[in-house]
Amino acid sequence: MILVKKCVISSEGNEVTEASKMSNLSGGKNETDLPNQSEVVLCQDLNGRLEGVGSAVVCDYTFHNDGQSGEVSQLCTRDSDGISGLNADPAAITKSAKCESGMTLEDMYNARYNFDEDDDDSDWEPSEKQIEVRKWFCVNCTMVNVEDVGNCEVCGEHRESGILRHGFFASPYLPAEDVNQDELPVTENSEDCRRSSLSSSTAVGFDERMLLHTEVVMKSHPHPERPDRLRAIAASLARAGIFPGKCYSIPAREITREELQMVHSVENIEAVDITKRMLASYFTPDTYANEHSACAARLAAGLCADLASAIYSGRVKNGFALVRPPGHHAGVKQAMGFCLHNNAAIAASAAEAAGAKKVLIVDWDVHHGNGTQEIFERSKSVLYISLHRHEGTGAADEVGSMGAEGYCVNIPWSRGGVSDNDYILAFEQVVLPIALDFNPDFTIISAGFDAARGDPLGCCDVTPAGYASMTQMLSVLSGGKLLVILEGGYNLRSISSSATAVIKMNFWPTLETNFTKLHSKWGSYAFLDARKQSRKRRRTGLPIWWRWGRKRWLYRILAKQLRAKSYCNYS
């Protein structure tokens, strides 16, 4: 043991002299056991903590070096939480004896002390070993979880969920092998599927090559726009007996360059096409591409174009484009927001080429389709209506330009958490009256399901029943010529259940809605209100549905739903 010669503690002018015995750093060995080594003992707080602020501790260190003894007095400042550090000011350090080697205390400690591997020095320097925390990513929502957690702490999905095999019919709380097969729908056999496909009036566009579009290098966690989105929807449709089964599958093809040029500039087309020669590339920090992405984007666009042509020509009644990458953020020149080519815009162009004079695009993706708006902002033949969270673009006063004012309608939510009631009310009071007056020849839904309950990006609360209701409302337009195109949606359980609910609406017309009442109410009311408009307003050239009650009903719905009156200043 080593005896500390002197420790003077001063606090508020009081002095206390103590002598304390402390263990040697070498493991408790006596001084005589290490005749040629320096020994240093730091004065420790004898009472644990000192009361008061601004107290000081004067510590004398005893050291031995080759038989020479000496003392070093050093001032340690203390606050209310303990010693904050040594005062390195030379004026605060005095030496009562000089060490012949001229070494500092730190030099003596670092150079002369040799510790065995079994010595416990954890109090002196932290361990250099890093503890590896094992983690796993949720297949449903991509969120990260620690190894010892069996269910995702964000969405509750089991880490071995069978959602990619059974779709949303799989239990979220049990692994795939524990699924009760008796509770799953029975898929029709191939002969029945072929027979019902020939008589089906609904077409589905899908090609497995679109699954090859994926991010090559994973960053902090898997990219939300991932191939599993299509796998989960396809598994759900198969288990429900819808596809394959009741739907007609159209053959896939890549869109031609000439068809792309009807929507996009050469700059966009070549930028996407050049990715075929790259293992990995990015258009924006969140918009990736690999060597298969250009093909996937062309297949998605080609499926949407062919579905639009088939539906408008009457070969099929309606259709669902189960495609990726999504498209509504892709503008004339640039790819962005996970989107490479604008599938909805290409479908609208194909419908016009097939003979449609007026095309309606309703975009209920939780993010604004800025690309679609840019492409058609000067067009009076395509009416674009978007319901979305307002996060930059898509303000209510963005109404079109260059003579096409009123043909762009934005319904921006000022907050998250919007639910079925919010969307249904917006449909009843804004979307349907405008759509009825526009009277489109062809209707397209940019169906992003990221406003669905549980989506990690949308943070809203729309249910599959809500999406089915909105689909049913729109399906009576255009003589039922409706094309639904998949956009966003990043919770696999939400997106697969919502997509299945939307497609089911095409098979059970007995699921009635109150659309007839809405039509009789809003149709007559709209034209009655229009007749009250002044002749001056009629001469403005704006469509009736835009002129009709714009200061009254639009103000009311937006002020009530969005709580943002500033969006409604159209005067």
Side-chain angles (χ1 to χ4, degrees), residues 303-460:
L303 284 168
C304 291
D306 289 349
L307 280 168
S309 299
I311 294 169
Y312 185 77
S313 63
R315 295 196 300 273
V316 294
K317 182 179 180 180
N318 47 45
F320 187 93
L322 183 55
V323 296
R324 62 180 293 272
H328 72 148
H329 291 305
V332 176
K333 296 182 179 180
Q334 73 282 359
M336 62 177 296
F338 311 166
C339 305
L340 305 187
H341 295 318
N342 196 307
N343 302 319
I346 291 169
S349 176
E352 290 182 318
K357 302 299 182 182
K358 293 184 291 184
V359 178
L360 169 65
I361 300 177
V362 176
D363 188 342
W364 67 42
D365 190 284
V366 78
H367 302 106
H368 178 239
N370 58 295
T372 307
Q373 177 174 302
E374 177 194 1
I375 292 170
F376 296 115
E377 66 179 349
R378 300 179 180 180
S379 173
K380 298 178 68 173
S381 63
V382 177
L383 169 63
Y384 177 67
I385 304 177
S386 177
L387 305 91
H388 55 270
R389 289 179 58 179
H390 188 208
E391 298 172 338
T393 62
D397 58 358
E398 297 177 18
V399 297
S401 61
M402 301 295 290
E405 287 82 359
Y407 289 87
C408 176
V409 180
N410 286 301
I411 306 174
W413 311 114
S414 62
R415 56 179 175 82
V418 292
S419 62
D420 292 353
N421 293 336
D422 300 299
Y423 275 84
I424 297 301
L425 185 59
F427 262 64
E428 292 176 352
Q429 299 196 39
V430 182
V431 177
L432 290 179
I434 291 176
L436 285 169
D437 192 37
F438 181 68
N439 192 22
D441 301 317
F442 190 74
T443 302
I444 298 171
I445 300 177
S446 278
F449 297 109
D450 40 8
R453 178 177 297 172
D455 191 273
L457 300 187
C459 302
C460 293

Side-chain angles (χ1 to χ4, degrees), residues 1 66 80-81 97 101 117 154 166 202 226 247 254 271 294 304 330 344 353 377 400 412 419 452 564:
M1 305 294 288
D66 296 333
S80 59
D81 293 327
S101 63
E117 293 183 357
V154 177
H166 308 296
T202 298
R226 58 204 190 278
C247 291
E254 293 188 34
C304 291
E377 66 179 349
S419 62

Side-chain angles (χ1 to χ4, degrees), residues 39-213:
E39 297 169 351
V40 180
V41 176
L42 300 179
C43 176
Q44 297 182 348
D45 186 358
L46 302 178
N47 298 320
R49 297 181 66 176
L50 291 178
E51 299 295 335
V53 179
S55 58
V57 180
V58 180
C59 299
D60 287 345
Y61 304 94
T62 302
F63 66 88
H64 302 271
N65 185 39
D66 296 333
Q68 301 294 327
S69 298
E71 293 182 353
V72 176
S73 177
Q74 189 165 3
L75 178 64
C76 304
T77 61
R78 175 189 296 274
D79 55 20
S80 59
D81 293 327
I83 296 176
S84 62
L86 297 177
N87 189 338
D89 189 352
I93 303 177
T94 60
K95 294 185 180 180
S96 58
K98 294 183 179 180
C99 178
E100 292 181 357
S101 63
M103 299 177 67
T104 64
L105 295 177
E106 183 178 4
D107 293 336
M108 287 188 290
Y109 173 74
N110 292 332
R112 301 299 299 274
Y113 273 88
N114 296 317
F115 297 104
D116 297 332
E117 293 183 357
D118 296 336
D119 290 337
D120 183 11
D121 60 352
S122 59
D123 291 338
W124 287 91
E125 52 184 60
S127 174
E128 296 181 356
K129 296 181 179 179
Q130 295 182 354
I131 301 176
E132 180 181 359
V133 179
R134 299 176 66 89
K135 59 185 179 181
W136 57 276
F137 296 96
C138 177
V139 66
N140 182 50
C141 68
T142 73
M143 295 296 103
V144 64
N145 297 271
V146 296
E147 176 69 21
D148 57 350
V149 175
N151 288 75
C152 178
E153 295 182 332
V154 177
C155 69
E157 195 79 15
H158 195 277
R159 66 178 301 178
E160 298 177 2
S161 170
I163 193 169
L164 296 181
R165 293 169 51 189
H166 308 296
F168 73 92
F169 294 101
S171 171
Y173 310 111
L174 299 175
E177 57 269 17
D178 291 338
V179 173
N180 187 354
Q181 299 291 332
D182 296 334
E183 296 180 356
L184 296 175
V186 178
T187 305
E188 301 176 17
N189 58 47
S190 58
E191 184 177 352
D192 292 337
C193 290
R194 190 179 303 110
R195 186 183 302 112
S196 72
S197 296
L198 293 175
S199 61
S200 175
S201 61
T202 298
V204 172
F206 175 72
D207 192 284
E208 290 186 350
R209 286 174 289 177
M210 291 182 291
L211 301 176
L212 299 176
H213 168 65

